[in-house]
Amino acid sequence: MIALDNLSLELLKKIQQQRIPTLFAPEKGDLAGFQAKAERLVFLADVGFIELAFPPSYDSKTGGRYIDGIAVRNITPRGARAIAEVAAAP
């Protein structure tokens, strides 16, 4: 199993609690600050823990360097198991 850090767990738990697609975007227009969260979401999708509603949206003003929005459709069974395993660990 992939070791999950605090940011990954926080994101997975937030997605798990949502009943509709979960939208993630920069707060107060902070594109640079949002990138760590955006990259983590892309990673979680790549390893099969979440399912994206559509590919990440890139900011057109910066020439596509920054992700400015991600819509997550849901957490996968694999992602739910990862949360449960962390919760069950001593």
Side-chain angles (χ1 to χ4, degrees):
M1 180 57 61
I2 296 172
L4 297 175
D5 62 2
N6 289 337
L7 177 57
S8 296
L9 281 172
E10 174 187 322
L11 292 168
L12 285 172
K13 286 177 182 179
K14 181 174 182 174
I15 294 163
Q16 188 177 42
Q17 293 170 354
Q18 301 294 317
R19 296 288 179 209
I20 57 174
T22 307
L23 303 176
F24 293 91
E27 295 179 17
K28 300 178 185 174
D30 181 15
L31 284 173
F34 176 67
Q35 295 315 291
K37 187 182 286 186
E39 290 170 7
R40 190 61 48 87
L41 288 165
V42 170
F43 170 77
L44 291 171
D46 287 346
V47 297
F49 284 10
I50 62 173
E51 182 179 304
L52 299 181
F54 47 83
S57 169
Y58 286 86
D59 176 54
S60 60
K61 293 179 184 177
T62 63
R65 293 185 317 200
Y66 293 116
I67 297 172
D68 68 355
I70 295 183
V72 178
R73 180 172 295 147
N74 60 27
I75 189 168
T76 65
R78 183 175 185 200
R81 276 192 310 273
I83 293 172
E85 287 176 7
V86 170

